[in-house]
Amino acid sequence: MTKKLYIKTYGCQMNVYDSERMAEAMGGEGYVTTSTPDDADMILLNTCHIREKAAEKVYSELGRYKTLKAENPDLKIGVAGCVAQAEGAEIMRRQPMVDLVVGPQSYHRLPALEAKARAGQKALDTDFPEEDKFEHLKARPKAKRGPSAFLTVQEGCDKFCAFCVVPYTRGAEVSRPADRIVTEARDLVARGVREITLLGQNVNAYHGHEGGLAGLIYALSDIDDLARIRFTTSHPNDMDEALIAAHGDCEKLMPYLHLPVQAGSDRILKRMNRQHTRDDYFRIIDRLRAVRPDLHLSGDFIVGFPEETDADFEDTLDLIERVQYGSAFSFKYSTRPGTPAAERDQVSEAVKDERLQRLQALLTRQQRALQDAMVGRDVAVLFEKPGRMPGQMVGKSEYLHAVHVEAEGVSAGDLRRVRIVESGPNSLKGALI
Ligand code: 5AD
Ligand code: SF4
C-alpha cells in the first residue's frame, strides 16, 4: 500500500535538494509525497540551524502535529537537517512524539531508520559516515521535471567563520567526484532540465575535478541541451583565477554571482575570521567585472556582530555603495552556542534593528535601481511556469530577475529573447522579440 510523506523544508537550497533526494529514497519504500501534513503517514521536517529562530520554528511546528499524532498513532514524525545534527537526541527529549532524527550526512540510511521507527523504536543517526550519501541514495527517477534544478556538488565547510554553525552541523568540506555530477546532470537534462544551479556551502572550494569548480563548469557546459549553469554559495578566498576567467569565457555560466562578504569593516572581518580584507573583496569584484562587465552581484550581510561599532557599520554601508548589489540577504547577528562569537560582547537588539533597517533600505534602493535599469534592454528568459494572467508565462533572466511575459504558445523550458518594458516591485515585465 502506498504511504504518504509530507516534507517541510527550511533554510537553504541545499536543504531543498536534500528533501528531493529523501523523497525519492522514500519512494523506494512505497511513499508518495503529499502537500499537507493532515493525511500523511510520515512527516519529515528538514531543518536549518543557521540562526536562532530557525530551531525555535521547528519546535513550534512539531507542537502543531500533536493532534495529528493523537488521532493517528501510526503517524511517524522525523526531524532531518542541521537542527537534527546539532540537537540530536535532545529533540526526542523535548518532543517525545518525534520518532526519527537524521543528520544531513546520513540520508542514505533514512529507509532503515523509517523501518526502525515503524517497528516502534526511536531511530537516531547523526554520524558523519565515510560513505558518500548521494552514492548510496536510490537512483533518481526518470520522470519529467521543470526546467531548473539544484545539484549539490560540495558539502561542509572548513572556514570556521566565528558566527557560523555550518562547520559543526555539516562537517568538513567534501566534494563529490565530477564524473558522478556530470552523470546526474545528464540525467536531469534528459528529464527536461535546462538550468542547473550547483550547490555547496562553499561551492567554489570544490575540488572533485582537477580544474576545481571552473573545470566542473566547463565539463557540464559540454552537455548540449543544458543552457545555463549557476553556482552558490561562494567564499571570496576561493574565487580563483580560473573561476573568474570562466565568467568571461563560458557562455553557459550566467552573469550572476552570490559572493557574501558579511561586513565591510576590516576590524570586524578579522573578528569574524573571514581571512580576507575589504580590499581583497574589491579586487576580486574588479577582476570579475573586467571579464564580465554586466555581472550582477549578490551578497549576505550580518549587522550587529559582537563589538561592531557605528564606524564599523558605516564601513559596511560604504562597501555596499561601492559594490552596487543586484540583490542581497541581510541578517541581524544571532548568537549560536558553541561558536567563538557567542562568548563576546553583544550588540543590543535595538542597535541591531536600527542597523538592519538602514542596511536593507540601501540594498533595496540598489536592487531596485539595477532592476529598473533593465527596462529597454533585451534579455534571454528561461520560462518556468504560467503566470497569474491567462496567456502569461514567468521565467528568469540571465540575471535571475523574474520576468512576466504575454507568451501565447511558449512552454516551460523554452528559452526566448525578451525586451523588458516595465519594472515592478519584485519582477520585470517583458515582450517576446
Ligand atoms: N547570525 C546571523 N546570520 C548568520 N549567518 C550565518 N550565521 C549567522 C549568525 N550566527 C548568515 C551569513 C551566511 C548566511 C547563510 O547566513 O550571512 O552567509
Ligand atoms: Fe559558515 Fe560560510 Fe563561513 Fe563556512 S564560509 S563558516 S558556511 S559563513
Side-chain angles (χ1 to χ4, degrees):
M1 206 189 76
T2 53
K3 289 172 278 185
K4 290 188 178 154
L5 171 67
Y6 172 72
I7 303 191
K8 182 160 178 152
T9 307
Y10 298 82
C12 65
Q13 294 133 325
M14 296 186 67
N15 271 7
V16 175
Y17 177 82
D18 283 346
S19 289
E20 269 175 29
R21 299 295 308 257
M22 284 192 277
E24 290 167 6
M26 295 311 287
E29 309 302 309
Y31 277 92
V32 292
T33 51
T34 169
S35 56
T36 152
D38 300 337
D39 63 351
D41 298 284
M42 180 169 175
I43 295 175
L44 197 55
L45 301 184
N46 190 7
T47 61
C48 170
H49 200 237
I50 199 94
R51 282 170 293 276
E52 238 158 357
K53 290 210 180 96
E56 285 315 309
K57 264 192 231 156
V58 171
Y59 282 111
S60 70
E61 183 72 19
L62 285 170
R64 258 181 252 156
Y65 300 143
K66 264 199 183 118
T67 347
L68 285 177
K69 184 94 173 174
E71 284 165 3
N72 174 12
D74 286 340
L75 169 65
K76 298 295 165 202
I77 297 182
V79 178
C82 295
V83 174
Q85 188 64 42
E87 307 257 297
E90 175 62 21
I91 298 177
M92 288 161 168
R93 270 195 288 276
R94 211 167 137 178
Q95 277 291 2
M97 66 179 183
V98 172
D99 303 286
L100 183 160
V101 171
V102 58
Q105 300 315 322
S106 306
Y107 294 154
H108 50 304
R109 297 177 181 167
L110 184 60
L113 292 166
E114 188 266 350
K116 192 170 171 191
R118 284 266 153 241
Q121 295 169 43
K122 296 279 182 199
L124 170 81
D125 192 337
T126 52
D127 286 353
F128 285 107
E130 284 297 308
E131 71 261 27
D132 173 357
K133 72 172 177 201
F134 295 115
E135 194 48 15
H136 287 78
L137 275 167
K138 193 176 169 306
R140 308 204 71 174
K142 299 292 167 215
K144 273 266 168 239
R145 47 178 297 160
S148 275
F150 294 133
L151 205 176
T152 293
V153 304
Q154 180 279 340
E155 284 193 272
C157 181
D158 296 338
K159 295 281 191 291
F160 291 92
C161 295
F163 50 81
C164 187
V165 289
V166 166
Y168 311 97
T169 55
R170 289 269 175 170
E173 258 174 48
V174 180
S175 296
R176 297 176 67 193
D179 54 344
R180 285 191 209 147
I181 293 164
V182 172
T183 304
E184 191 172 333
R186 283 190 190 284
D187 270 7
L188 288 169
V189 170
R191 292 164 57 197
V193 168
R194 304 211 62 200
E195 171 180 279
I196 292 182
T197 302
L198 306 174
L199 301 179
Q201 262 100 24
N202 228 304
V203 72
N204 59 340
Y206 176 79
H207 58 263
H209 186 285
E210 59 192 10
L213 185 63
L216 177 66
I217 289 169
Y218 282 112
L220 292 169
S221 71
D222 286 341
I223 302 176
D224 283 342
D225 290 330
L226 179 62
R228 293 177 159 187
I229 302 169
R230 305 180 185 276
F231 61 90
T232 196
T233 287
S234 298
H235 190 285
N237 288 359
D238 293 311
M239 280 318 289
D240 62 25
E241 213 46 69
L243 189 55
I244 291 175
H247 284 84
D249 295 338
C250 180
E251 268 181 39
K252 292 186 179 182
L253 183 58
M254 291 294 102
Y256 176 99
L257 177 66
H258 184 62
L259 192 63
V261 65
Q262 314 295 353
S265 140
D266 278 337
R267 199 179 71 88
I268 293 296
L269 287 171
K270 206 172 172 92
R271 297 293 283 150
M272 285 179 162
N273 190 31
R274 291 287 295 177
Q275 313 268 2
H276 63 77
T277 62
R278 60 190 261 127
D279 278 345
D280 294 334
Y281 187 73
F282 290 140
R283 272 193 291 273
I284 293 162
I285 285 169
D286 287 347
R287 279 154 64 210
L288 282 159
R289 284 186 166 149
V291 297
R292 189 76 211 222
D294 62 337
L295 186 75
H296 273 221
L297 279 157
S298 156
D300 289 342
F301 297 92
I302 295 178
V303 299
F305 184 75
E307 304 157 13
E308 183 187 68
T309 63
D310 286 342
D312 292 322
F313 177 62
E314 292 300 328
D315 283 348
T316 301
L317 295 179
D318 176 72
L319 177 143
I320 293 170
E321 288 283 9
R322 288 214 212 170
V323 172
Q324 299 287 322
Y325 288 90
S327 72
F329 303 88
S330 45
F331 315 97
K332 287 191 280 183
Y333 169 72
S334 149
T335 314
R336 310 312 290 127
T339 60
E343 310 299 324
R344 303 185 191 153
D345 287 346
Q346 302 294 314
V347 170
S348 78
E349 210 49 34
V351 170
K352 283 187 203 169
D353 281 334
E354 197 243 15
R355 288 182 187 162
L356 187 67
Q357 262 185 29
R358 281 183 66 198
L359 184 103
Q360 289 189 334
L362 172 61
L363 287 166
T364 307
R365 275 202 302 282
Q366 284 190 356
Q367 193 166 336
R368 194 60 208 257
L370 271 174
Q371 197 190 294
D372 292 349
M374 299 306 295
V375 176
R377 285 182 57 183
D378 296 348
V379 296
V381 174
L382 176 61
F383 286 99
E384 288 179 352
K385 56 182 185 211
R388 271 197 226 118
M389 311 296 230
Q392 195 185 53
M393 290 289 290
V394 190
K396 294 270 166 55
S397 75
E398 303 88 320
Y399 310 102
L400 217 53
H401 287 126
V403 186
H404 293 258
V405 184
E406 304 297 328
E408 213 72 65
V410 168
S411 314
D414 289 354
L415 188 60
R416 299 282 294 269
R417 299 295 302 173
V418 166
R419 176 145 314 149
I420 302 301
V421 294
E422 206 179 303
S423 171
N426 296 308
S427 66
L428 295 166
K429 205 169 154 194
L432 289 178
I433 297 173

